[in-house]
Amino acid sequence: MEHAYPADELMPLTCRGRVRGQEPSRGDVDDALGKFSLTLIDSLDTLVVLNKTKEFEDAVRKVLRDVNLDNDVVVSVFETNIRVLGGLLGGHSLAIMLKEKGEYMQWYNDELLQMAKQLGYKLLPAFNTTSGLPYPRINLKFGIRKPEARTGTETDTCTACAGTLILEFAALSRFTGATIFEEYARKALDFLWEKRQRSSNLVGVTINIHTGDWVRKDSGVGAGIDSYYEYLLKAYVLLGDDSFLERFNTHYDAIMRYISQPPLLLDVHIHKPMLNARTWMDALLAFFPGLQVLKGDIRPAIETHEMLYQVIKKHNFLPEAFTTDFRVHWAQHPLRPEFAESTYFLYKATGDPYYLEVGKTLIENLNKYARVPCGFAAMKDVRTGSHEDRMDSFFLAEMFKYLYLLFADKEDVIFDIEDYIFTTEAHLLPLWLSTTNQRISKKNTTSEYTELDDSNFDWTCPNTQILFPNDPLYAQSIREPLKNVVDKSCPRGIIRVREESFRSGAKPPLRARDFMATNPEHLEILKKMGVSLIHLKDGRVQLVQHAIQAASSIDAEDGLRFMQEMIELSSQQQKEQQLPPRAVQIVSHPFFGRVVLTAGPAQFGLDLSKHKETRGFVASSKPYNGCSELTNPEAVMGKIALIQRGQCMFAEKARNIQNAGAIGGIVIDDNEGSSSDTAPLFQMAGDGKDTDDITIPMLFLFSKEGSIILDAIREYEEVEVLLSDKAKDRDPEMENEEQPSSESDSQNQSAEQIASSSQEVDLVDQESPEESSLNSHPESLSPADTDDAASISPSEQNSNPTENHETTSLDGECTDLDNQLQEQSETEEDSNPNVSWGKKVQPIDSILADWNEDIEAFEMMEKDEL
Ligand code: DMJ
């Protein structure tokens, strides 16, 4: 409220509001922002849960006074529904509850509900399709079709986008008596149900809203589908309509049959559900154990949750995507609440205090790594600990609510939470709606449902059995075998072949390094070996081997050798190309290491992945572009020089500041508004000559990140930063610890290698033009992990030497891997951010004075926060 209101979201690093159109576009994520004070609306019912009734009353008044729902802005129908419509309805539900109690909200006269209805009518034009599936976006002022609307040409939407409306729309209908909303949401759900793949009973990720054809035929329980399943089960709970339960059970049966590979949940193809569609999982699926609790299927919920927790313990947060052998696939983490949500439901179901310990870890990590002076910042890269200037509204709507409720006793919450159902955005809708205004005709489709095994219904309502054994050790006994599932995982994805055939050292008839995708002879050889080329939509090519398609078993083994060589080649190239991000951490007052900026490395100068971090105060160089001898050497001497990008080579800038006595350099992009949020990081190249003379570390910051440092200088004059590969612990007490010894430096070095893992391979730059189509892309992942298929998706091959297990694991042994993983976890421990930031030689009195001043400022800041 202090820094961002009335903007939609807080930008916690720059301490201001995110106003759409005023910041560089982030693409689809910005579609949640409708200039309607999103975070305030999304947080309304959180305030009541947290027993901040007075603040809730004030917040409702602000919403009624300030929020305009008629802005000329194109928003996502899905996000607006779950966050804004859901937020208004959750607020309304608790407002009437409070009013009835007789103390607060006595003035309230359904004003939030009226706003919700107004918004509901604004969303209805999106449903104007023959299928009844909504368009993905709508203009709040102009709707869909008008030329001013700037939307309405889309053909596809995600399954979750079309299938996550029923709770809010039905609640709106039942609160107001206007049945149209529930009817529209039901129609969309009916259509999705009709379009399910009939033999697998699964749905794809995206669907054409006009033809109903599946556009993406992969199917999982995470991104793109997640809340469709959630809403089927919850619609049954809220509306008491059996058809929703039957649909849910049919899908659940299919999910457990094909997607669930406990503790993993792996995407498959809807037509070939025995074939995995990828070898990584996304963070959104972390809600699924919570849904399984609602379904009553506790065992797989415990297993998947445990696996996710171990990934979190490894990286402090759940990366946006991680591979089946638990490497980071997409390193960002926007403070998503799904895992906290599942932890809450598992604790409710089992009463096992273990889940309180899990919650404590989540809170500690948030405070330690995400908390910044103006809020909580998303992690740009869980490996480096760098931040993104982003705090999504779901952080307050969901994360705070679930974490608070996890620890709250019944009497800590002023109403009975059991009387409500949580929407996907954790908004609260009262269960009494199930018997109110039930005027919608239900479709009688019971005959369409697959006959399910009776066990599918063991735990559904009304449940006459005990939901789970009332045994405190029950959950633990399920977790125990999974204790080391992450650290001791065997790499998956490569078919195991006979050991001796590989020991013979035989080479494939076509060597990977010679392969050209345009050579017909090569393609013929590949075919013989059972290797097929898949041309991806974006023009890239992927290799997949199906041993059973090879001409003979010998050809199949040749194919495996070829694939093996290709993996080695791609990881080699990856190693040469990788761009491990670096971190610039502001360590001086009042930041104390809490602000971490993502920086690009240089191909010259001190390699921060091999040496200890560099710490120093910053000073701008003169001339600012650093392209000639500095005129202010006294100012940069012993400091980290700031230089503007442009007008000469990076190496030339480095030499000029080094000659002036700088101990490091930060090049700041001259393209105003550029940001690592929107542009890919790159390495600063040398000048084509020998750059061995450059011995200081050089990092690159985009303009937005650079301006955080420049603003800090303007405000605090003395700004001290740490240049490193990975953010260090930001506990102020660590500030004056001993410098790491040279021994720990070398340990840091291997830890760096670990930290820089999981870069994606792009073979384009390294190859001849003919070969350049052999490429990778985060999405270009092929079926793997099947018994008869081995695939290479270079993007999945980790460039990290300690993590290239696939290249040596053909013999099926895990011993080496175990050793490597052990080494890795040892080095990771060694690289624990609890190492010091280095030490300045300073008299003890002055250190203590500084320290006290820091602590005072820190305490002040703590008081001021949120
Ligand atoms: C939330 O907005 C909702 O939970 C949605 O269903 C998907 N996930 C985001 C938060 O990660």
Side-chain angles (χ1 to χ4, degrees):
M1 295 306 290
E2 192 182 325
H3 298 289
Y5 191 73
D8 283 318
E9 281 180 350
L10 170 71
M11 295 170 71
L13 299 183
T14 43
C15 300
R16 60 200 162 95
R18 180 181 293 282
V19 178
R20 210 164 152 190
Q22 287 180 18
E23 304 294 331
S25 166
R26 301 174 301 170
D28 290 352
V29 241
D30 282 342
D31 290 344
L33 312 178
K35 301 190 176 175
F36 35 33
S37 299
L38 173 68
T39 302
L40 179 64
I41 294 177
D42 219 2
S43 321
L44 286 177
D45 50 13
T46 301
L47 290 169
V48 186
V49 170
L50 270 61
N51 208 349
K52 301 207 166 285
T53 325
K54 180 74 192 54
E55 287 86 339
F56 172 71
E57 189 144 11
D58 293 345
V60 173
R61 285 187 201 277
K62 281 199 178 71
V63 170
L64 301 180
R65 188 192 65 196
D66 300 343
V67 173
N68 177 14
L69 297 173
D70 198 41
N71 301 309
D72 175 12
V73 50
V74 175
V75 292
S76 150
V77 172
F78 165 78
E79 298 291 359
T80 308
N81 173 59
I82 64 166
R83 303 195 202 197
V84 187
L85 190 56
L88 293 170
L89 292 170
H92 171 69
S93 303
L94 298 189
I96 52 178
M97 177 275 297
L98 287 170
K99 186 174 179 184
E100 205 176 300
K101 278 180 177 267
E103 195 184 342
Y104 293 96
M105 301 299 290
Q106 295 307 303
W107 54 269
Y108 181 70
N109 225 350
D110 292 351
E111 290 88 344
L112 289 176
L113 182 61
Q114 293 318 317
M115 282 184 80
K117 196 171 170 187
Q118 190 197 345
L119 181 60
Y121 279 119
K122 284 190 166 296
L123 296 181
L124 284 189
F127 293 78
N128 191 7
T129 56
T130 43
S131 64
L133 298 178
Y135 279 94
R137 294 183 194 83
I138 195 158
N139 185 307
L140 285 175
K141 193 179 179 71
F142 298 110
I144 291 273
R145 289 275 159 79
K146 296 196 188 109
E148 311 92 293
R150 305 186 303 282
T151 188
T153 51
E154 300 93 339
T155 52
D156 308 338
T157 197
C158 72
T159 302
C161 303
T164 312
L165 298 147
I166 186 71
L167 294 187
E168 294 80 4
F169 274 46
L172 185 55
S173 285
R174 292 179 179 220
F175 270 132
T176 61
T179 54
I180 189 166
F181 304 108
E182 187 171 337
E183 279 161 15
Y184 275 41
R186 275 177 184 267
K187 194 174 164 212
L189 278 180
D190 290 346
F191 190 83
L192 288 175
W193 173 248
E194 289 295 315
K195 288 292 166 187
R196 75 193 182 282
Q197 211 290 321
R198 298 296 173 119
S199 54
S200 67
N201 281 322
L202 293 171
V203 288
V205 172
T206 44
I207 187 165
N208 184 306
I209 54 175
H210 305 299
T211 64
D213 294 337
W214 290 110
V215 178
R216 268 185 59 190
K217 300 183 184 78
D218 42 327
S219 183
V221 296
I225 303 184
D226 48 2
S227 45
Y228 162 64
Y229 293 135
E230 179 184 359
Y231 269 35
L232 283 180
L233 183 55
K234 290 185 174 176
Y236 164 67
V237 176
L238 184 69
L239 308 175
D241 181 340
D242 287 350
S243 70
F244 291 129
L245 179 62
E246 283 160 5
R247 289 180 195 180
F248 175 79
N249 279 331
T250 303
H251 284 312
Y252 188 77
D253 195 57
I255 291 168
M256 296 314 283
R257 197 181 294 250
Y258 305 120
I259 294 171
S260 170
Q261 301 177 29
L264 312 181
L265 289 160
L266 278 179
D267 287 17
V268 297
H269 293 277
I270 56 174
H271 294 98
K272 292 185 186 158
M274 302 304 286
L275 215 57
N276 289 332
R278 56 175 71 112
T279 53
W280 47 272
M281 290 165 275
D282 64 64
L284 286 162
L285 61 73
F287 90 102
F288 199 68
L291 189 66
Q292 290 180 307
V293 170
L294 187 65
K295 150 86 181 156
D297 203 359
I298 307 289
R299 174 180 280 275
I302 292 172
E303 289 170 337
T304 299
H305 179 276
E306 178 59 20
M307 174 274 289
L308 294 169
Y309 185 43
Q310 289 186 35
V311 177
I312 289 174
K313 282 197 285 191
K314 204 166 167 173
H315 302 290
N316 301 323
F317 299 97
L318 195 60
E320 273 295 74
F322 52 95
T323 58
T324 47
D325 52 332
F326 309 109
R327 288 170 291 126
V328 172
H329 185 63
W330 291 334
Q332 59 277 47
H333 169 74
L335 308 182
R336 288 197 190 281
E338 283 77 5
F339 182 77
E341 174 184 348
S342 285
T343 306
Y344 166 67
F345 286 114
L346 267 172
Y347 179 60
K348 285 278 145 184
T350 62
D352 185 340
Y354 176 80
Y355 296 108
L356 294 180
E357 288 298 325
V358 172
K360 187 166 170 246
T361 306
L362 298 183
I363 292 173
E364 282 170 357
N365 286 347
L366 282 171
N367 280 328
K368 201 166 170 187
Y369 302 108
R371 197 168 185 161
V372 293
C374 295
F376 287 82
M379 307 308 294
K380 177 182 263 317
D381 189 320
V382 295
R383 296 162 302 176
T384 61
S386 57
H387 291 137
E388 209 174 326
D389 199 2
R390 160 176 185 189
M391 187 177 97
D392 289 71
S393 67
F394 51 68
F395 184 67
L396 296 184
E398 296 191 66
M399 186 78 99
F400 266 54
K401 211 177 269 156
Y402 286 124
L403 289 176
Y404 182 84
L405 287 172
L406 175 64
F407 292 98
D409 290 326
K410 211 169 166 50
E411 56 278 11
D412 293 331
V413 183
I414 56 172
F415 59 97
D416 191 351
I417 201 84
E418 313 266 330
D419 290 340
Y420 295 79
I421 191 157
F422 293 92
T423 68
T424 192
E425 189 77 358
H427 293 308
L428 295 169
L429 298 175
L431 290 171
W432 55 256
L433 286 174
S434 64
T435 51
T436 309
N437 280 329
Q438 294 172 284
R439 274 177 290 148
I440 318 290
S441 66
K442 292 173 192 167
K443 206 180 169 206
N444 187 6
T445 46
T446 315
S447 56
E448 291 177 66
Y449 303 110
T450 318
E451 269 299 301
L452 296 175
D453 180 333
D454 277 355
S455 65
N456 217 282
F457 303 96
D458 280 355
W459 312 113
T460 50
C461 297
N463 180 19
T464 52
Q465 306 182 51
I466 302 165
L467 184 60
F468 58 91
N470 194 12
D471 167 7
L473 296 179
Y474 172 69
Q476 196 196 330
S477 68
I478 297 174
R479 288 193 304 267
E480 192 57 27
L482 297 165
K483 226 171 44 196
N484 296 318
V485 68
V486 167
D487 277 343
K488 293 263 157 61
S489 82
C490 228
R492 299 162 65 95
I494 301 294
I495 190 170
R496 307 284 186 234
V497 292
R498 287 202 315 275
E499 215 171 298
E500 62 275 22
S501 77
F502 273 83
R503 290 223 175 114
S504 70
K507 302 283 176 229
L510 172 63
R511 308 302 304 273
R513 60 168 183 264
D514 301 329
F515 170 68
M516 285 191 286
T518 49
N519 182 324
E521 274 171 37
H522 290 181
L523 296 179
E524 200 47 49
I525 300 174
L526 288 197
K527 200 171 157 201
K528 210 168 155 227
M529 298 190 297
V531 178
S532 35
L533 278 185
I534 299 176
H535 293 265
L536 302 173
K537 262 207 217 136
D538 60 6
R540 296 158 203 253
V541 173
Q542 187 177 22
L543 294 174
V544 181
Q545 197 216 17
H546 293 272
I548 49 165
Q549 287 171 6
S552 68
S553 61
I554 295 176
D555 290 313
E557 286 188 1
D558 279 342
L560 280 165
R561 288 191 191 93
F562 173 82
M563 294 293 276
Q564 182 64 17
E565 279 195 2
M566 194 54 96
I567 291 172
E568 278 162 19
L569 186 68
S570 89
S571 71
Q572 172 84 24
Q573 287 170 336
Q574 201 174 28
K575 229 179 292 170
E576 286 159 14
Q577 283 198 331
Q578 64 176 297
L579 299 175
R582 301 281 185 252
V584 174
Q585 188 170 17
I586 312 182
V587 295
S588 51
H589 162 91
F591 302 95
F592 305 122
R594 289 166 157 230
V595 170
V596 184
L597 309 168
T598 299
Q603 286 172 353
F604 52 85
L606 186 88
D607 182 351
L608 288 163
S609 74
K610 300 208 174 102
H611 297 84
K612 69 178 192 295
E613 63 276 357
T614 296
R615 177 180 175 145
F617 286 90
V618 293
S620 292
S621 55
K622 278 192 190 151
Y624 189 31
N625 63 24
C627 289
S628 53
E629 192 181 329
L630 263 49
T631 57
N632 63 339
E634 66 298 336
V636 298
M637 168 79 78
K639 295 191 177 161
I640 293 172
L642 302 180
I643 329 124
Q644 192 179 40
R645 182 184 185 182
Q647 287 170 33
C648 61
M649 305 293 281
F650 291 123
E652 195 178 333
K653 295 173 194 284
R655 287 193 184 96
N656 285 328
I657 60 168
Q658 180 173 294
N659 290 342
I663 57 168
I666 300 174
V667 178
I668 296 176
D669 197 7
D670 57 341
N671 294 313
E672 219 181 299
S674 69
S675 154
S676 64
D677 296 349
T678 46
L681 272 181
F682 61 89
Q683 296 186 84
M684 292 185 284
D687 53 5
K689 298 180 214 137
D690 185 2
T691 48
D692 285 353
D693 57 315
I694 304 172
T695 54
I696 58 172
M698 295 290 292
L699 293 184
F700 175 84
L701 288 180
F702 281 111
S703 145
K704 200 185 131 196
E705 283 82 12
S707 64
I708 291 175
I709 296 190
L710 297 172
D711 289 348
I713 298 178
R714 271 189 285 281
E715 195 152 348
Y716 305 104
E717 285 174 22
E718 298 277 85
V719 173
E720 193 177 16
V721 299
L722 187 75
L723 311 184
S724 64
D725 70 317
K726 183 169 183 166
K728 304 296 179 254
D729 198 324
R730 44 210 73 147
D731 181 346
E733 291 179 28
M734 300 301 296
E735 202 176 357
N736 294 310
E737 276 190 6
E738 291 297 320
Q739 270 186 323
S741 65
S742 53
E743 193 187 341
S744 65
D745 288 349
S746 68
Q747 288 165 343
N748 281 348
Q749 179 179 339
S750 19
E752 312 271 344
Q753 292 166 342
I754 288 160
S756 63
S757 65
S758 290
Q759 302 301 312
E760 283 147 15
V761 171
D762 182 350
L763 300 178
V764 174
D765 296 345
Q766 301 275 321
E767 294 182 349
S768 64
E770 291 88 352
E771 290 168 308
S772 65
S773 56
L774 236 188
N775 203 338
S776 81
H777 184 274
E779 299 286 351
S780 70
L781 304 165
S782 61
D785 293 342
T786 53
D787 287 335
D788 66 343
S791 70
I792 295 180
S793 169
S795 65
E796 290 182 272
Q797 302 309 321
N798 204 304
S799 64
N800 186 322
T802 58
E803 296 195 353
N804 277 333
H805 314 305
E806 287 89 340
T807 58
T808 53
S809 65
L810 283 165
D811 58 8
E813 297 284 336
C814 275
T815 330
D816 285 344
L817 171 69
D818 287 346
N819 290 341
Q820 289 175 58
L821 284 169
Q822 186 154 359
E823 270 169 42
Q824 170 181 338
S825 71
E826 280 162 11
T827 45
E828 273 180 341
E829 267 163 37
D830 293 334
S831 74
N832 188 302
N834 284 336
V835 294
S836 77
W837 290 335
K839 185 182 167 194
K840 294 170 285 178
V841 185
Q842 227 182 331
I844 188 74
D845 285 349
S846 127
I847 291 174
L848 280 174
D850 277 3
W851 194 73
N852 280 331
E853 199 183 306
D854 285 354
I855 293 294
E856 266 168 40
F858 185 81
E859 282 168 352
M860 278 289 289
M861 194 170 63
E862 292 261 314
K863 263 195 229 141
D864 288 344
E865 274 175 56
L866 290 179

